[in-house]
Structures are given as structure tokens and as C-alpha cells.
Amino acid sequence: MRRYIAKRLLHSLVVVWIVATVVFAVVRAIPGDPVQLMLGGDATQEAREQLRTQLGLDEPIYVQYARWMGRLAQGDLGESLSTGVPVLELLIQVGQPTVSIGLLGMLIALSIAIPAGLISALHQYEWDDYVATFIAFLGISMPGFWVGILLIVFISQRFEFLPAFGYVGPGEGIRAWFSHIILPAIAVGVPYGGIIMRMMRSSMLEVMNEDYMRTARAKGLSPQLIVMKHAFQNALIPVVTIAGILLGTLLGGVVAVEIVFGIQGLGRLLINSVHQRDFPVVQGSIVIIAVIFVLTNLLVDLLYTVLNPKIKYGDGGES
Amino acid sequence: MSNPMLEIENLHVEFETEDESVQAVDGISFEIHPGEVYGIVGESGSGKSVTALSIMALLDSNANVTADRVRFDGTDLLSKTDSEMRSIRGGEISMIFQDPMNSLNPVITVGEQIAEVVRHHGDVNESTNLVQEMRRKYVTGTSADSASWRRAVELLETVGIPDPETRAQEYPHQLSGGMRQRVMIAQALAGDPSLILADEPTTALDVSIEAQILNQLLDLRDEFGVSVLLITHDLGVVRETCDRVAVMYAGELMEKAAVEELFEDPQHPYTRGLMQSIPRLTDDREMLDVIEGSVPNLAAKPPGCPFQDRCAWAFEACTQPLEEHEVDPGHDVACHLHREDIPEELGEWNSPTAVRTDGGDDR
Ligand SMILES: Nc1ncnc2c1ncn2[C@@H]1O[C@H](COP(=O)(O)OP(=O)(O)OP(=O)(O)O)[C@@H](O)[C@H]1O
Ligand code: SF4
Ligand SMILES: [Mg+2]
């Protein structure tokens, strides 16, 4: 197991490196010059050259790449071209709302969708199944930012304590923090939860038809025990896989929802820095997103081994 | 003779599907005595599993079960409530299923799968409420010191699993097919049953393992005196293991007899057809006599004998309702050839060499 984790971390490192390299190349391939954008149209040729040298942009690409990689290897993401602020500092600032909203959204979605899917499956074709299914499909068919707009119009307008705008860190009061992230979290959680609910329902229905469920009934166990002990974990196995894969979509949802709620998050930072061709910030944001991705995937895979005894990652096994 | 362990009289099982109703079991009667191994043999789809599941009240909700009598150890099973049935299932009556891979839960250790039966039906005095069971499953695991776990290990040893302490900790996928079937048997024994319903317990296994498992079952019968209902489609298995046997066809029992008698003197055209389709090692015939034609559609069975379309001896009376004829004590045959008033030219059907050449289509 330990070897497996070490191996996976090594793989993750390679993935992050590839992503970093690609983003390095791509941001430079977008037309537009950061210096031009910073100084405006009427700056002299001389001033531009000077700034270019100062920022190290006059050096050959491979030197810039090597320098960036060298710093990246030490965990240094460089500084913003336009403001000179360390990229890591910027990311920590904007990462806070993004991560809070993403995690809370996921938590809300899972804690509603999994029980709902379970109940729906057990009550197949009864009214509660229809209601849950209807809500799930409604959720799946609405992107997060649209749910966000609806929440602003119908909830935030009515309840003053649920603001439609901005973000407040937990340092300034848990309550204020929570009231600012709850609506965006619901907005990202709705489409995510809808899919999870449907997955849980169909997975549960499948499990209930398995031969081992008949065995469990033949043992004279109570219906509750049969569901919770013999079916639940089996049904969860495919759901965990999907929940993990969908985390990427969830993160995308957060970026859009943050914009709707006027929150300075990772999404806003990324978009602004692309506009300004602020290479280090774009690169740093993407690298951080890649790191979050590979780590959550690793976590999901580890959770998967706990749920499914058939999967044991040993030496040379799964890659 | 002692009181029967299980008495079934005129059992019907009908499945309501969207556009038709299927008569899966159509008025069967039999009884099993204490310590007896009773076989039900029949082709695929003849209703063997449905019979067993209806005794356990484990059929889907679209099944409509009726009977004049289903008595187990002197008590009526049909009038039992759900919760009364739960205390019987896995306890006094247990079941072994065909496919040992899919019949064991992949995410529970085999030890726990046996131990939970001990806790529910044995006298180990360990709580089986939902909270305790969930704690065992998801938090602490089953304690290896608990009485139920020790009993599970003991049972694994009884059914011939080497190194049972270690095996008990393993999951089904870590065991071979034969071992998994032994686990199923251990699980069926864990509630100390008086009757085991074994539904094709060896079909998924290869021949040498099959023999071992069947011997194991017989040993257990000798040791614990349990009765066994052994369901199979293999007459060879019946001959090796059963005391008495019923031949099932399209939801009905065609012939019931002691095993030796059935093999020596089959009295039903269908039974004879089955016997001729057993491959014989001493035989150098390449082709087996397989009965021509196919099983009737259970949603639209013809009136009378269900075998009439495939039977070489069918005659006018065969469309009338079947009755059981006792040809010898304990040997019942449901076939009109055993009536007094059969047409003269059919009289010699019973001679060992009788072959009907005109195809029997003169109805
Ligand atoms: N839930 C159900 N709904 C409708 N029909 C069913 C249902 N369960 C079983 N049947 C039908 O009942 C008939 C008998 O099935 P059963 O499983 O008892 O056969 P079997 O003798 O056990 O065959 P096999 O040797 O293949 O196990 C089949 O025709 C089957 O299609
Ligand atoms: S002779 Fe008639 S009753 Fe007897 S098996 Fe043939 S068809 Fe059925
Ligand atoms: Mg069957």
C-alpha cells in the first residue's frame, strides 16, 4: 500500500509537470504582449524594452522555461508580472473562497444525494421515488451558475442574511463566512448532487437484484440490516468512482458560480490574468488546479480500496 | 414412519407479469422425512428453484403462492408473518444457492457472513440490533474472540476448509469456487437447521469438487440428522446422493419414487426419456437420445399432461387432467398410461423394448 501511494505520487508529479509545460507553452502562444498591455499603447519603444528586460521576458523561451521550472521545483510560483505580488500569495487569497465553496457544495450534494438515491431505489416507482427523480433531473439539467442566479433572485432577495455578493473569510466570523458561501455552494452542489443521486439509485437497484442479496434474505436478516449492511457498501463503490471523476466538473462549476456571486476566487483570478497575459499567475493557477486534481483522484482511489476488498494495490499492480 | 419434516400439498406458484401469468409451479405435492435427502430433478425452467424459494417465502412480490398445505415440522408456514418467517429462514430452514461466487457478499469477510447467522439464530447472546451490526461492519469488525466468530471458524473446519482462522478473515474473491461453496454450506449450517434446501449446490463446480461437496453434505446429514431437499438437473447426482426423488416437468411432478426404484423401473415416459439422455461411459454410442421438442410455454400450457407434445405414447386421454397413480407403494406416476382403460394397442408400452414408430401423433 505504501509503495502504491509512493508510486502514485510520482505519477502525479509527472502529470503536474506535463500540465505545467503545456500551460507554459500555451500562454505564450496566445497573441498579445503583457508589456504592451501593462504600459498601454503610447509607451515608448525604450520603456517597453526596459520593462521587458526587467521582467526577464527578453530572454530565450528555453531560459525562461528552465528558470520557471527551477523555481517551481522549490515550490516557488514566481511573482505577478503586473503587480509583483508572489503568485502563491495571490492563490492563497483567492483559493480560500474557491475551496470553501467547492468542499461545502460537495458535502451538501453527497449528504443529500446518497440517502435520496438509496430511498428512491428502495421505493422504486412510488411517489417519493418520482419526486426525488424529478428533482434530480431538474438539477442535472441546470448548470451551477444558473442555479446561482435563481438563488440570488428568489432566496437572497428575500432573506437579507443570505448575501448575493462577495466573500468574507472565516477569520471574520464563521457565521458571516458561512452565510456568504452557502448559496454558491448550493449552486455548485445541485447539478453534482443530481448526478450522484441518479447513480446511487441505479447502483442500489442493481445491487438489490444481486444473488448475495437473496442469500442475505435467506438468512432471515431484517430488511434494514439487509440494506445497510449487505447492500449499501456495494452500491457505493461505483458512486465513489463517479463522484471522484465529477470533481473536475464541480471545480469548473465553482469558477462560474463565483463570477455570478461576485466573489474574487480562483476563476476570477485566472480570467483576469489571462486578459493581462500575466504569465506566472496563469501558470501558477493552472498548476495548482492540476495538483488539486491529482491529489483528489488519489484520495478517491484510496477510498475505493477501502470500500472494495477486491482491489488491493500492491507491488506492480494497478498503475 | 415418523412425521414428515416438510409436507407440501398442491402447491401452486403463479407469476403475474405485464401481459401474462406464468404457472411456474402447478399443483405439486411431496414430503420429506427427517434425515432424508430428497431430490427434485428436472430440466432448466421446470420450476425447481421457484419451489424452494416459495417454501422460504423468498419469491418476488409478483408471485402468487397458494397451497392446500405447506407444513414444516408440524407447523403451517403459509400463515406465518414476515417476522416469524425471518426467524425460520437461516435458522430452522436454510438454503444453499447455485452460484457460490455471486451468492456470497463480496465486501464482507466469509467469517462474518457465517457469524451473522450464528448471532441471529444461535444462542450466543450477542446483540443483533442494527446499531451493533453496523458498528461491527463499518467500525470495529467482528471480534475474533466473540462466540459467533469462533463458531464460524469451527464451521469452516467442519466443512473441510484448511486453516479456517485465516480463511475466515478473507473475502469471497480470495477463495476458490469449491471453497466458496463450502462456505455457503457452513453458512447454511450456522443456524443449526433441520432442513436444508440445496438448489443445485454443485452445478458451478467441476466434477471432482462436486463429488467432494456432495459427500460433505451426506456426512453432515449423517452427523446432524438434517433433512435435505436437493435440487438438480443431473440424474447422476440424484443416484449418488438422494434417498427419494421427484421428477419435475413444466411445474408438475411426473414421477416420485425411491431412488433405486426410479432407476430400475421408471414408469413415466418422460423419466425414461431423461434416463436415456444420461451419457454412459461404457457406451460407445456417439449420439444420445435427447427428447425431441421443447418445454411448453408456462403461460399457455395445454390442458392435461404437459408432456403431451413430446411424448411418443400420447393418446386421446392425455388432454384430460392428470392424476397420480400409485404403481407401487411410495411410487407415484402422473401419466394416463397407468389408467385401467387405455387403448389396447398401447398395452405393451411398458415392455422394456417398446418403441413407438408412428410418432404418437394419432390423437
Ligand atoms: N420473478 C419471476 N417472474 C416471472 N417468471 C418467473 C419468475 N421467476 C421464475 N419465473 C419463471 O418460472 C419458471 C421456473 O423457473 P425456475 O427458476 O424455478 O426454474 P428451475 O427449474 O430452477 O431452472 P434452472 O435449472 O434453470 O435453475 C421459469 O419459466 C421462469 O421463467
Ligand atoms: S402418455 Fe399421455 S399422460 Fe403419459 S406422459 Fe405421455 S402425454 Fe403424458
Ligand atoms: Mg433453478
Side-chain angles (χ1 to χ4, degrees):
Chain A
M1 195 64 166
R2 197 165 291 167
R3 258 189 83 166
Y4 169 75
I5 297 177
K7 214 168 103 187
R8 278 294 300 267
L9 284 174
L10 203 70
H11 277 227
S12 307
L13 218 59
V14 174
V15 170
V16 171
W17 172 68
I18 292 172
V19 170
T21 304
V22 169
V23 69
F24 180 90
V26 168
V27 286
R28 280 165 180 75
I30 314 172
D33 175 8
V35 172
Q36 176 112 17
L37 288 166
M38 279 162 72
L39 295 179
D42 8 290
T44 60
Q45 183 69 21
E46 207 170 308
R48 282 193 214 156
E49 289 306 325
Q50 198 190 343
L51 184 59
R52 203 177 297 277
T53 317
Q54 195 187 324
L55 296 174
L57 293 172
D58 56 342
E59 289 177 280
I61 289 279
Y62 62 86
V63 175
Q64 293 184 33
Y65 176 72
R67 181 177 298 143
W68 183 57
M69 273 297 155
R71 293 178 72 175
L72 191 60
Q74 299 163 36
D76 180 356
L77 293 170
E79 293 88 29
S80 160
L81 290 183
S82 51
T83 60
V85 181
V87 173
L88 193 61
E89 204 169 288
L90 284 173
L91 284 175
I92 289 173
Q93 231 170 56
V94 301
Q96 206 190 66
T98 304
V99 170
S100 319
I101 292 171
L103 280 183
L104 184 64
M106 185 176 79
L107 209 70
I108 294 174
L110 292 179
S111 55
I112 294 176
I114 288 179
L118 189 83
I119 291 169
S120 216
L122 296 178
H123 294 191
Q124 193 186 11
Y125 304 138
E126 290 172 29
W127 68 269
D128 37 0
D129 178 29
Y130 286 120
V131 170
T133 299
F134 179 75
I135 294 174
F137 274 124
L138 211 62
I140 294 169
S141 54
M142 291 191 295
F145 72 85
W146 173 242
V147 180
I149 292 171
L150 293 180
L151 289 174
I152 290 173
V153 172
F154 291 106
I155 305 291
S156 195
Q157 301 283 324
R158 248 157 256 203
F159 304 98
E160 257 169 46
F161 57 92
L162 292 172
F165 192 83
Y167 172 77
V168 170
E172 291 158 59
I174 293 292
R175 210 165 163 164
W177 169 71
F178 191 76
S179 70
H180 278 85
I181 61 170
I182 179 74
L183 290 185
I186 292 175
V188 297
V190 163
Y192 183 73
I195 300 175
I196 299 292
M197 182 270 166
R198 294 298 298 167
M199 272 303 298
M200 186 66 197
R201 180 181 182 274
S202 64
S203 170
M204 192 68 194
L205 282 176
E206 207 165 295
V207 166
M208 292 304 285
N209 273 323
E210 292 284 349
D211 288 352
Y212 55 77
M213 295 305 292
R214 192 184 51 192
T215 308
R217 284 186 287 135
K219 289 174 173 183
L221 308 180
S222 71
Q224 297 89 322
L225 195 54
I226 288 174
V227 168
M228 293 314 296
K229 184 176 170 186
H230 283 257
F232 184 62
Q233 187 180 344
N234 282 299
L236 220 47
I237 291 171
V239 174
V240 164
T241 312
I242 297 292
I245 291 170
L246 288 179
L247 278 180
T249 346
L250 182 93
L251 205 60
V254 178
V255 167
V257 164
E258 278 173 351
I259 291 169
V260 171
F261 282 88
I263 293 172
Q264 292 293 333
L266 194 55
R268 185 53 68 85
L269 179 73
L270 194 54
I271 290 168
N272 288 347
S273 54
V274 170
H275 277 310
Q276 291 169 2
R277 305 290 183 270
D278 197 336
F279 301 154
V281 180
V282 179
Q283 289 163 193
S285 316
I286 299 288
V287 166
I288 284 295
I289 291 174
V291 168
I292 294 178
F293 254 104
V294 293
L295 287 186
T296 46
N297 269 318
L298 180 58
L299 267 174
V300 167
D301 284 355
L302 291 180
L303 180 60
Y304 195 76
T305 62
V306 174
L307 286 179
N308 188 351
K310 278 191 212 170
I311 312 287
K312 279 279 170 286
Y313 296 124
D315 319 62
E318 269 266 348
S319 56
Chain B
M1 199 176 267
S2 51
N3 287 328
M5 187 54 81
L6 181 74
E7 288 174 87
I8 306 277
E9 218 175 282
N10 199 21
L11 173 72
H12 286 264
V13 181
E14 192 177 358
F15 290 102
E16 295 291 346
T17 64
E18 264 161 42
D19 37 29
E20 53 185 25
S21 80
V22 175
Q23 280 288 339
V25 174
D26 198 359
I28 67 171
S29 306
F30 63 96
E31 58 200 38
I32 305 179
H33 296 288
E36 182 177 45
V37 179
Y38 192 90
I40 293 186
V41 64
E43 290 171 85
S44 190
S46 54
K48 308 182 295 293
S49 299
V50 170
T51 303
L53 291 170
S54 66
I55 296 167
M56 294 284 262
L58 279 177
L59 288 168
D60 299 341
S61 54
N62 68 336
N64 182 15
V65 180
T66 53
D68 294 346
R69 166 184 289 212
V70 176
R71 284 170 85 81
F72 165 72
D73 205 5
T75 66
D76 177 22
L77 288 186
L78 288 173
S79 62
K80 296 260 187 249
T81 63
D82 278 358
S83 87
E84 287 169 337
M85 261 333 276
R86 275 203 293 280
S87 71
I88 291 177
R89 272 186 220 134
E92 288 160 90
I93 309 180
S94 61
M95 194 152 175
I96 301 172
F97 295 99
Q98 174 175 339
D99 180 354
M101 182 69 241
N102 299 324
S103 298
L104 291 173
N105 195 315
V107 303
I108 303 178
T109 59
V110 297
E112 168 57 16
Q113 296 193 51
I114 300 167
E116 70 178 344
V117 181
V118 177
R119 283 198 300 274
H120 276 80
H121 300 287
D123 49 359
V124 289
N125 218 352
E126 288 168 40
S127 166
T128 55
N129 70 37
L130 189 62
V131 176
Q132 290 302 320
E133 287 283 325
M134 297 305 281
R135 186 181 56 79
R136 274 188 209 100
K137 169 75 184 86
Y138 294 108
V139 187
T140 60
T142 319
S143 157
D145 293 327
S146 62
S148 58
W149 186 269
R150 275 184 277 125
R151 176 86 184 112
V153 171
E154 226 171 84
L155 283 162
L156 285 175
E157 192 161 23
T158 309
V159 297
I161 289 192
D163 195 7
E165 284 90 1
T166 316
R167 288 302 187 182
Q169 310 277 0
E170 294 187 340
Y171 291 92
H173 73 274
Q174 294 169 282
L175 273 54
S176 69
M179 284 225 239
R180 286 195 290 256
Q181 198 55 295
R182 287 169 199 269
V183 171
M184 279 297 289
I185 295 175
Q187 194 173 270
L189 288 173
D192 212 357
S194 345
L195 173 65
I196 297 179
L197 311 178
D199 189 357
E200 314 210 24
T202 56
T203 306
L205 307 174
D206 62 48
V207 186
S208 61
I209 311 280
E210 169 168 65
Q212 288 176 24
I213 297 277
L214 290 175
N215 284 331
Q216 188 82 62
L217 261 179
L218 290 183
D219 290 350
L220 293 169
R221 188 267 306 261
D222 295 342
E223 192 175 335
F224 301 105
V226 289
S227 311
V228 179
L229 175 66
L230 185 74
I231 290 173
T232 177
H233 56 249
D234 186 345
L235 275 172
V237 168
V238 169
R239 185 174 220 161
E240 298 301 318
T241 36
C242 298
D243 301 313
R244 290 190 302 142
V245 59
V247 177
M248 194 160 191
Y249 183 79
E252 299 178 39
L253 296 185
M254 308 309 279
E255 184 163 8
K256 292 179 275 193
V259 167
E260 310 85 66
E261 177 148 349
L262 187 88
F263 279 89
E264 273 164 30
D265 186 20
Q267 287 292 322
H268 194 288
Y270 177 62
T271 315
R272 290 190 185 176
L274 275 187
M275 302 244 176
Q276 272 152 20
S277 60
I278 308 179
R280 263 167 293 243
L281 290 176
T282 52
D283 213 325
D284 55 18
R285 272 186 312 178
E286 294 267 304
M287 294 285 291
L288 302 168
D289 293 317
V290 181
I291 310 171
E292 270 177 45
S294 55
V295 209
N297 176 2
L298 295 180
K301 284 211 299 190
C305 175
F307 190 53
Q308 56 186 279
D309 290 343
R310 299 167 82 184
C311 179
W313 301 97
F315 62 108
E316 304 79 29
C318 297
T319 54
Q320 291 168 20
L322 280 178
E323 290 154 26
E324 281 189 356
H325 302 268
E326 188 169 47
V327 295
D328 266 321
H331 188 168
D332 299 315
V333 183
C335 169
H336 289 299
L337 286 172
H338 290 274
R339 282 159 54 143
E340 303 287 306
D341 58 342
I342 62 166
E344 220 169 296
E345 73 272 18
L346 290 177
E348 93 286 14
W349 80 278
N350 211 359
S351 80
T353 52
V355 175
R356 202 166 186 213
T357 47
D358 61 3
D361 249 334
D362 56 349
R363 276 166 296 152

